[in-house]
Structures are given as structure tokens and as C-alpha cells.
Amino acid sequence: MASVLLVEDDPVIRVRLIDVLSRHDHVVRSSPYGFEALREVTRQPPDAVVLDLGLPDLDGVDVLRMLRSISQVPVLVATARDDEAEIIRLLNAGADDYLVKPFSGGQLAARLGAVLRRSAAVGRPGAPETAPRAGAIRVGGLTIDRQARSVSLDGGELRLTRREFDLLAYLAERADRVVPRRRVLADVWRQSYVEEQTLDVHVSSLRRKLGERASRPRYLHTVRGVGIKLVTPR
């Protein structure tokens, strides 16, 4: 049995889908509005979201992006368009799977079951992408001790704010890998919505404390249009 948040504004379709999902032993909550659905995810996270794109208050793709900024809950998107560009747009925005309208109740249940199984295989919804490593983390001359919440660079202590430490430790645990910006915000800030500019401000502050500039990065590298990575200096 899984808890499912159904986001669908058409009352007839909503009732039908609630019936289908309930008959497959899911506990269903529903909302016709995007903003309300976002509040529901933060208030009581579901195991999965079924998201219609044609909502009265927000574009469904915007809802999907906002969901991805606050949670890694599996999202199954219902769309009326089946062209490749639309599907790529949905998957890039964070959809786990999609259904093209019209679809049967059996198809919905099967797709949702597959999404839930994949989610169970990689961990609970909303969990960070990778579990923190125990002990000190070393990246080049950086040593980050999560337990003591201390950082040193080439043997000298760095004085970081709480959020700067969390951000640096998060990136260090994924050293030499590009992490998408929205993933960083979702996992480090863990708030209902955070502007991407907030991340830019913290990255800029960390760069100053690491003694580097955006034009000549040593540890913190940004990959335009993709994300951020902490690298081991060559």
C-alpha cells in the first residue's frame, strides 16, 4: 500500500482515478491546484505523485520543477502530447515516467507500480542522492570533518557558516561529479522553495574563502546549464 497524491483539476477524471488507485490498495489524496499540491508534499510527503499538466493556477511543468526543488518523490506525469520534444522536456524537468492521455486505469496502476518499485530500490522519497560517508572527507588540500563540523584547507582552518559547511560537505561527498543545481538546493536547503540565486551567493562566498575566483576556479567549478562540482585540483 502506497500513499499517492493525485493532482488533477477535472472533477470527473479525478474521481475516476481515485477509484482506480484505491482499488489497487493505494491511499489517495487529491488536489486540483498546483500550489496546494506543493503544500501537501511539504506537509505530508506522499510515496508518489500523479501530476496532470493542465492545472488552473500553474503550468504543470512549473509544478514539476518546484516539486523537484523540495523533494525526490517519484512523479508520474499525465500529458496530452506525445511528441519527443515534450517527453524530453518532462524528463529533463524531473519526471520519473509519463502517461499519454487517454489512458486506462490498468495502465496507470501498472506504470505507478513500476515507478514505486524503482523508488524503493534506490531509497525513500526525498532522501539525498548519496548517503554521507563516515569520517573526514579529503579532496585535494581540503579536509572536511562532518562530525566536528570543521574544515581545513592546506592545514589552515576555514571559518564557514552553517549553510556554507553543509554545501561544501555535500559537494565533497560527490567530488569530481557534476551535481544539478536544483538537486543541490533540494538536498542542502530542504525548504519548500529556494531561489537559485541563493545558491550562487553561497558558492561565491565559498570561493572567496577557498581563495579562488569564478574566472580561475581551483575547487569549485560550475558547468553552465548543468550544475556544480567540487574537483580535486590537478
Side-chain angles (χ1 to χ4, degrees):
M1 181 182 293
S3 62
V4 179
L5 176 61
L6 172 66
V7 190
E8 167 62 64
D9 69 316
D10 186 307
V12 175
I13 296 175
R14 189 165 66 247
V15 169
R16 181 174 67 84
L17 295 183
I18 290 173
D19 179 63
V20 168
L21 294 172
S22 298
R23 284 192 280 109
H24 283 82
D25 297 324
H26 298 309
V27 176
V28 185
R29 309 196 316 270
S30 67
S31 172
Y33 301 109
F35 277 122
E36 187 175 84
L38 292 167
R39 286 195 297 268
E40 280 292 302
V41 169
T42 58
R43 185 182 65 84
Q44 187 178 353
D47 295 313
V49 174
V50 177
L51 174 65
D52 177 57
L53 296 184
L55 302 175
D57 59 338
L58 284 174
D59 179 77
V61 176
D62 289 336
V63 175
L64 177 59
R65 291 194 179 105
M66 290 179 191
L67 273 173
R68 276 293 162 262
S69 75
I70 61 176
S71 173
Q72 295 308 307
V73 61
V75 180
L76 178 62
V77 169
T79 176
R81 297 179 61 184
D82 62 354
D83 59 281
E84 183 180 6
E86 172 71 358
I87 300 308
I88 290 173
R89 186 170 76 116
L90 292 172
L91 295 174
N92 285 338
D96 292 272
D97 202 351
Y98 64 92
L99 279 169
V100 177
K101 296 179 178 180
F103 51 82
S104 67
Q107 188 180 8
L108 170 63
R111 288 288 187 95
L112 182 59
V115 165
L116 286 165
R117 286 192 297 274
R118 289 198 297 270
S119 173
V122 299
R124 61 178 177 82
E129 183 186 43
T130 306
R133 297 199 296 261
I137 309 165
R138 292 180 175 82
V139 180
L142 272 171
T143 301
I144 302 162
D145 190 326
R146 267 200 176 275
Q147 186 172 0
R149 293 189 68 84
S150 64
V151 179
S152 65
L153 175 61
D154 298 328
E157 183 182 2
L158 290 184
R159 298 180 65 85
L160 305 181
T161 66
R162 179 177 64 85
R163 192 71 76 186
E164 287 169 353
F165 177 87
D166 291 343
L167 174 58
L168 186 63
Y170 178 86
L171 293 173
E173 287 160 358
R174 298 154 179 80
D176 300 309
R177 283 193 287 156
V178 179
V179 186
R181 293 169 61 85
R182 297 311 306 180
R183 170 81 71 174
V184 175
L185 286 168
D187 288 348
V188 176
W189 268 260
R190 294 182 174 273
Q191 296 176 11
S192 58
Y193 185 73
V194 184
E195 294 287 346
E196 290 202 19
Q197 186 179 6
T198 300
L199 178 57
D200 295 332
V201 169
H202 283 79
V203 168
S204 178
S205 179
L206 272 176
R207 278 206 174 106
R208 286 196 302 272
K209 294 180 180 182
L210 291 170
E212 60 185 54
R213 300 192 304 272
S215 59
R216 297 188 64 183
R218 186 179 176 214
Y219 284 96
L220 278 172
H221 291 245
T222 55
V223 181
R224 187 179 296 275
V226 182
I228 305 168
K229 65 177 176 178
L230 185 75
V231 305
T232 304
R234 297 184 182 278

